[in-house]
Amino acid sequence: LINGSAGIVEGDSVTLNCSSDSNPPPKLDWFKGGMFVGSGRIYSISKISSDHSGEYKCKSRNKHGEKYSDAVTLNV
């Protein structure tokens, strides 16, 4: 889920949210184009620029395995 994904312009703040109902609770990591960019349920970008454009995915991982979210695309 992306907060503010409609009409993102440079300088905006954008928040990406990831949730999982797995048991035990998972570790959540964020990736942009396959590269690790952060951890946690929320990934925030303040003062976004065109460098932040791309596909973002959240990875949920616990002792039972791991799963990636669908990709979300930021166009700045």
Side-chain angles (χ1 to χ4, degrees):
L1 174 67
I2 302 176
N3 179 33
S5 60
I8 297 170
V9 297
E10 290 204 31
D12 282 353
S13 294
V14 174
T15 302
L16 289 78
N17 292 280
C18 182
S19 62
S20 175
D21 60 1
S22 62
N23 189 14
K27 182 179 190 312
L28 299 174
D29 291 324
W30 288 96
F31 294 84
K32 177 191 172 201
M35 189 163 27
F36 174 80
V37 293
S39 294
R41 187 178 66 82
I42 295 173
Y43 180 65
S44 294
I45 304 169
S46 58
K47 296 189 178 178
I48 200 165
S49 71
S50 57
D51 291 342
H52 294 108
S53 293
E55 283 194 350
Y56 290 79
K57 289 183 180 181
C58 172
K59 181 172 81 170
S60 172
R61 177 168 47 105
N62 67 12
K63 67 180 183 179
H64 300 297
E66 63 184 43
K67 183 172 175 119
Y68 282 90
S69 68
D70 292 335
V72 291
T73 302
L74 291 184
N75 292 309
V76 183

